[in-house]
Amino acid sequence: MITRSIRVNRTINRSITTSSVNSIRLDNSTINSKVINAQYAVRGEIPVKADIYGQQIRDGNGDKLPFKAIMPCNIGNPQQQGLNQKPLTFWRQVAALTECPELIDNTQLFPKDVRDRARELLNEIGSVGAYSHSKGVPFIREQVAKFLEARDGYPSDPENIFLTAGASGGVSLLFHLLLSGDPDGVMIPIPQYPLYSASLALAGSRTIQYHLDENRGWELNMNLLEKSFNDAQSQGTEVKALVIINPGNPTGAILSEENMRDIARFAQKHELVLLADEVYQSNIYDKNKPFVSFKKVIKDLKLDDLQLASFHSISKGFSGECGRRGGFVEYVNFSEDFLTEATKLASISLCPPLQGQIAVDLMIRPPKEGEESYEQYRKEKDEVLASYASRSKLLAERFNQMEGVSCNNSEGAMYAFPQIRLPQKAIDAAKKQGKSPDSFYCLELLDNTGICVVPGSGFGQAPDTLHFRTTCLVPGTEDYINTIEKFHKEFMNKYRD
Amino acid sequence: MITRSIRVNRTINRSITTSSVNSIRLDNSTINSKVINAQYAVRGEIPVKADIYGQQIRDGNGDKLPFKAIMPCNIGNPQQQGLNQKPLTFWRQVAALTECPELIDNTQLFPKDVRDRARELLNEIGSVGAYSHSKGVPFIREQVAKFLEARDGYPSDPENIFLTAGASGGVSLLFHLLLSGDPDGVMIPIPQYPLYSASLALAGSRTIQYHLDENRGWELNMNLLEKSFNDAQSQGTEVKALVIINPGNPTGAILSEENMRDIARFAQKHELVLLADEVYQSNIYDKNKPFVSFKKVIKDLKLDDLQLASFHSISKGFSGECGRRGGFVEYVNFSEDFLTEATKLASISLCPPLQGQIAVDLMIRPPKEGEESYEQYRKEKDEVLASYASRSKLLAERFNQMEGVSCNNSEGAMYAFPQIRLPQKAIDAAKKQGKSPDSFYCLELLDNTGICVVPGSGFGQAPDTLHFRTTCLVPGTEDYINTIEKFHKEFMNKYRD
């Protein structure tokens, strides 16, 4: 009933809008060209098309589609409809009590540690309906500092920590401070998470690509890094910073500690700010490669001149709480001037969302052994991490069995990034449609199966290679990969040279 | 115990940080100068000093201060500690159920309409832990469109509506699309809410001031508007947009409908995007001046060429839910191109916080008469609005009784913006300290009373006039204004010529 009235309403409105489009000021010729130039493929053409299919199905008009549902594997969004990862009970109970403090003494519904945590947080925050300090609630920043001290074995100052609206919010803030347009530039890995290239486009600054070595498990090769830096300098680029994503997105690779030390020394030598995207630090599948932070590496090396910004997020890990928008950044070896300006910039958007800030506290202070919520929390955490590990492994194995496909094992994060070698006929067909061959492949996959993945060109890839990225978040991974395999066989047969 | 350990920790860390400040890249000479140039006084020097006092008091070191608590009247943040406005029960109950859906059938704790709403929202959203569409949950945008249709009597298309992280998030997004740097400029009222001047500084674009007429109740004078536009054009400014804040912040003035029609015609004539900041649309104290939206005005006038962006927020009104960061913007008469680019830009920061989006739904769909929560909701709403009205009235009355102070009555919003005429000796003393006289006055007020207000210079004021802005959110307004009055007398006596 509701659906129907909305649909009618929508139809009426559409026709009205169409008749009144008289864009004087703002069309593609007048919109800020930096925005026009920015691309964000994980929510780009293919996901937009998938959304349209999804709406068709919800509206009851999906009968003619060759699939019954959209499988949204374009973005690491574990709790979305179709994937439905169960949230951590402890997190949600604390969140509910901070919304409704009058339930805080309800011992029947809420365990003691949940009620204690909510009480402690509310005592510091007051109300989740109030703006907090622009850097985030001081108490939560103090807890983050303790977490970092315990993780790395080095001191951490709450004043150097900013809570943010996801890691994206933190990166955007730093880029604003760091970049004044052209010829400033930032080194980013290829393949990369497109937040970086998009943010650089918005800043009007240069993207300096350094390629990861797919043939060596997406290793970061120091010679390629040096070469990329030198090339940029010789082109007049003011190289400001180096982005490292570890564990890698979309690659899933984990840097060796030796590699990290070389990277840190490189950044110091060239006076680059080191941006460490460490949002997948809890997503590690290879037990022989524990997470090591860049903070620890640069402190071990006593690189007190190297400026490091390390990002973390509540959206990934095993919580997957993307929708509340929470995260933090620690600034290491930055000046008071910088922190003052960063605080002012943060204050213009007032503060990060309070439920995102609370979730940061929950992420870094999980229930302890012996506390009432501990067993359930541990069970929920282990289940999620085990499923990610087994799904990642299965995806890589099965991709490697497909014709013309190869895929490195994911050591971490939540993606697979297979390389696909397509027949010339497919490449020609793509060209005919004005599409890149990987986009063409992914669109065919979507049109035929409802599976939504992102072409490698959205992340960047070596010339003459083609890839796509899928998340490892699908509950029925066996069925999922079977469907891809079936599609792939048919695609290859259709376009075989 | 907790407080003590934190304090020690903080002291240790401070000394470590100080020793390791070796800013290579990022100090005031290298940080993006656009950020350096931006100012945001409502969280500027005086609030920062107030924070330090507040921390002193919390740490038990406030004995020597001449006040026992900070009274935070610098920003419209009704639920913050010290003000403690009670949240709307209906809102918080729905929020709690969306966090913990397993309580949704608990008929003892939650009224039927609360449970129905939570169920309806979760059915559409899935999980509050999932990223939504970057423009916001489609269902909630559909509800916003219906709300706007009912409010204005004109059709509204959900596709033209973006949910945002507060109105600030929406304004920032539009400025990004609209402005390419210099010589682009935007017309803003003086006095204004400093989000606008700060956002223009960040964009590297020009601020074009038009003055409101304090002697006529902060009226918007069309001749001054024309003059300001012509002056800007003659200086080579590419005038892109006109910002109107209605009801006014900090002025509290409400535009007449005739005035609004003139403004709309002016914007159309000069092909300006009209930015209508209408976040105080529920905060109207003068029953003879009901809120009229710019959407209604331009539709009445059939100005189908005029591009309007109208902003609303959950942070103001009678909900005051600042901390969850929610709001929306409706784009009227914009092109498909523009909406596509705006969606892409929104997607780079993924989505607005889900609890902010849910709160938008609660704001525009309050409980209806006959529903279980209606009576309590109405009572809570009426109490808040009545207290704002009586406090605003009292503040203006009492300010007007003070020596050298005059204050227009607030017809709306949640502020008073008195003009203060200070003795020359005070002005000289300010100069000696390198402060503007209004900052000097506000700092003295803070140092002597713990009351934190914002100098008029933070909002802009006519040459040779001085003001400050206080919110009307203090529960004990009588005591509050008594304290200001006592301070003011002493200040005037101290600096009397």
Side-chain angles (χ1 to χ4, degrees), chain A residues 10 25 79 127 142 305, chain B residues 10 24 79 127 142 271:
Chain A
R10 199 177 259 163
R25 272 285 173 198
Q79 294 187 30
S127 164
E142 284 156 5
D305 291 340
Chain B
R10 199 179 257 162
I24 306 167
Q79 293 187 31
S127 164
E142 283 156 5
E271 297 184 1

Side-chain angles (χ1 to χ4, degrees), chain B residues 377-395:
Chain B
Y377 180 88
R378 196 190 49 80
K379 189 167 163 286
E380 290 171 348
K381 168 186 168 174
D382 289 351
E383 273 177 17
V384 169
L385 289 179
S387 72
Y388 288 1
S390 66
R391 289 169 192 172
S392 293
K393 195 160 166 274
L394 180 66
L395 286 179

Side-chain angles (χ1 to χ4, degrees), chain B residues 37-261:
Chain B
N37 293 337
Q39 295 303 331
Y40 194 65
V42 298
R43 294 208 148 187
E45 180 194 5
I46 293 170
V48 165
K49 193 170 184 189
D51 268 358
I52 295 170
Y53 284 145
Q55 190 59 49
Q56 248 177 281
I57 294 167
R58 277 193 298 283
D59 288 352
N61 301 325
D63 308 350
K64 289 181 185 161
L65 295 173
F67 46 84
K68 285 185 181 133
I70 290 296
M71 192 51 65
C73 300
N74 54 303
I75 192 163
N77 188 12
Q79 293 187 31
Q80 74 185 310
Q81 283 168 317
L83 304 179
N84 304 324
Q85 181 178 305
K86 203 180 156 303
L88 296 164
T89 306
F90 178 73
W91 283 41
R92 293 307 193 88
Q93 288 181 330
V94 173
L97 287 186
T98 60
E99 294 289 354
C100 274
E102 55 272 27
L103 298 177
I104 219 159
D105 295 320
N106 191 321
T107 54
Q108 287 198 305
L109 290 177
F110 299 97
K112 182 172 183 306
D113 52 352
V114 165
R115 291 181 294 112
D116 286 348
R117 181 67 61 90
R119 203 177 284 112
E120 184 183 27
L121 286 169
L122 285 174
N123 191 34
E124 293 288 337
I125 293 170
S127 164
V128 295
Y131 296 126
S132 71
H133 192 287
S134 300
K135 291 168 74 168
V137 174
F139 174 77
I140 298 176
R141 287 188 280 124
E142 283 156 5
Q143 303 314 310
V144 172
K146 286 182 191 170
F147 160 79
L148 295 174
E149 290 181 357
R151 187 193 69 184
D152 302 326
Y154 289 102
S156 171
D157 185 340
E159 292 305 315
N160 293 338
I161 291 161
F162 286 62
L163 305 187
T164 58
S168 310
V171 170
S172 159
L173 188 116
L174 174 55
F175 273 26
H176 236 110
L177 288 151
L178 185 64
L179 302 171
S180 304
D182 196 72
D184 291 351
V186 174
M187 303 185 71
I188 63 170
I190 294 298
Q192 52 116 19
Y193 176 54
L195 166 67
Y196 297 101
S197 51
S199 301
L200 282 165
L202 290 178
S205 294
R206 298 182 188 179
T207 293
I208 306 158
Q209 304 186 341
Y210 66 89
H211 283 264
L212 303 173
D213 190 345
E214 185 168 14
N215 294 326
R216 293 172 176 271
W218 296 114
E219 190 184 82
L220 195 157
N221 180 317
M222 292 307 298
N223 294 330
L224 292 180
L225 201 64
E226 280 284 0
K227 186 179 175 322
S228 158
F229 177 84
N230 293 335
D231 289 353
Q233 269 207 330
S234 69
Q235 285 156 25
T237 305
E238 183 72 31
V239 189
K240 292 275 194 174
L242 167 64
V243 173
I244 304 280
I245 312 175
N246 183 46
N249 174 7
T251 65
I254 297 174
L255 296 173
S256 73
E257 222 175 315
E258 195 191 334
N259 209 177
M260 291 173 77
R261 283 193 290 267

